[in-house]
Amino acid sequence: MTTLITGGTGKTGLALAKLLHAAKHPILLTSRAGKAPEPFKAVKFDWLDKTTYEIPFNADPKIDRVYIAVPPIFDMLSYVGPFIDLAVSKGVKRFVLLTGSQDEPGDGPLGKVHQHLLDIGVDYTVLRPTWFQQNFGVFFYFSIREGNEIFSGAGDGRLAFVSVEDIAQAAFDALTADKSPNKDLMVFGPELYTYDEAAKLLSSILGREITHKRLSIEELEKLYTGYGMSAEYASLLGTAEANVGKGKEEELFNASDDKKFTGKHTLLEYFQANLPLKRITL
């Protein structure tokens, strides 16, 4: 039986594909171009084009489990809901959905997809990771290179930045377990950091001072919309950052072990190993 990985060429999708391939589980990836790196097979799929939803199942009728990672679409359920229903009609028995640490069932775009899985009664796991370690090498790349700074609206709030590899491991475990977990799991890195502390750690690796620029939530949302994000989605992210400043992520990190998956990869290891960050020093 085959696992379908939506967003198969994205950060978590590709990391998951590598784990499943190494364990000799049949997989099929999706991408908008219908292409994936060797040795993986991919088919064309676009969340915003419902005519592509049938393509994976025509390519491999043995698909029985699906990993769902979606782009930042505000009206997400109107796209993902019909795909989930189609997948069930095609024989899919288990879903693993990627949302976010603060996305409660029924709340916000991702939470509504979570609730849909609950409502239809399928086997599922919802992974709710905190902020990605990889943000430092992608989202903050230019601000580090050009301005020697990272920025946030989180103030002194603490986060357990998580690696893509640990998220993929949590997804692998949920997809391959003999019995579906049928619950949501917070996904964290092993250590809590404020942005000030993360900047200090990064400074020690790059050999120059990196500072944390503290933005108001309004300034942060304006920055997001300047990147082309919708005002609605920028507001969601701004609220999440404000919640970090209020201690929300630290509270979630300290939840009981049965409610979370704690990864092994540290932020320091990411800074030491990540080649794009090393190129920032050039």
Side-chain angles (χ1 to χ4, degrees):
M1 306 305 281
T2 302
T3 297
L4 178 68
I5 303 177
T6 67
T9 58
K11 293 182 182 66
T12 62
L14 196 56
L16 173 60
K18 292 175 181 177
L19 292 176
L20 290 168
H21 178 72
K24 301 187 184 306
H25 288 278
I27 54 176
L28 179 65
L29 279 60
T30 74
S31 71
R32 284 180 293 178
K35 298 178 181 179
E38 294 290 342
F40 304 116
K41 177 183 177 182
V43 294
K44 181 179 175 60
F45 182 91
D46 186 342
W47 283 112
L48 299 181
D49 182 0
K50 295 179 182 179
T51 66
T52 66
Y53 289 8
E54 292 257 5
I55 293 175
F57 304 103
N58 292 336
D60 190 339
K62 294 183 179 180
I63 294 169
D64 71 336
R65 56 200 69 194
V66 178
Y67 174 72
I68 300 177
V70 295
I73 309 165
F74 192 75
D75 188 20
M76 203 171 289
L77 183 60
S78 66
Y79 295 96
V80 186
F83 171 75
I84 290 173
D85 296 342
L86 172 66
V88 171
S89 76
K90 298 292 185 179
V92 172
K93 306 298 184 185
R94 186 182 302 191
F95 295 87
V96 173
L97 170 68
L98 184 69
T99 67
S101 55
Q102 297 181 30
D103 292 311
E104 296 293 339
D107 183 20
L110 286 165
K112 290 176 182 177
V113 178
H114 182 167
Q115 186 63 51
H116 185 68
L117 289 173
L118 298 178
D119 291 343
I120 64 176
V122 294
D123 282 343
Y124 77 97
T125 303
V126 176
L127 301 179
R128 297 170 57 180
T130 189
W131 279 233
F132 288 19
Q133 294 174 4
Q134 282 72 13
N135 287 352
F136 288 90
V138 179
F139 191 63
F140 295 137
Y141 177 85
F142 289 102
S143 68
I144 295 170
R145 190 185 71 179
E146 304 297 335
N148 293 321
E149 66 182 19
I150 58 176
F151 54 86
S152 83
D156 292 318
R158 303 172 80 203
L159 291 156
F161 295 99
V162 67
S163 74
V164 164
E165 291 78 13
D166 284 328
I167 297 168
Q169 185 63 56
F172 175 89
D173 293 350
L175 287 164
T176 60
D178 290 338
K179 184 178 180 181
S180 175
N182 291 344
K183 64 180 181 178
D184 58 298
L185 285 170
M186 307 291 175
V187 187
F188 299 111
E191 301 166 325
L192 288 164
Y193 287 94
T194 65
Y195 275 99
D196 283 352
E197 291 167 341
K200 184 176 180 180
L201 187 66
L202 183 54
S203 300
S204 72
I205 300 301
L206 294 181
R208 68 183 195 273
E209 185 179 11
I210 306 299
T211 61
H212 169 218
K213 183 177 182 180
R214 295 169 178 244
L215 300 179
S216 69
I217 298 304
E218 292 75 18
E219 289 171 328
L220 189 66
E221 291 176 7
K222 184 177 180 179
L223 188 67
Y224 289 150
T225 55
Y227 290 152
M229 189 178 293
S230 72
E232 295 89 349
Y233 219 92
S235 178
L236 285 177
L237 294 184
T239 298
E241 284 263 314
N243 288 338
V244 175
K246 297 173 183 176
K248 180 64 174 178
E249 289 296 314
E250 185 169 2
E251 176 188 335
L252 294 172
F253 178 79
N254 290 323
S256 60
D257 288 344
D258 65 320
K259 295 182 179 180
K260 63 184 181 182
F261 177 100
T262 303
K264 299 178 180 179
H265 294 83
T266 68
L267 188 59
L268 175 60
E269 290 169 345
Y270 172 73
F271 287 161
Q272 290 172 328
N274 188 264
L275 291 177
L277 282 176
K278 290 180 181 177
R279 289 200 294 270
I280 290 172
T281 64
L282 298 179

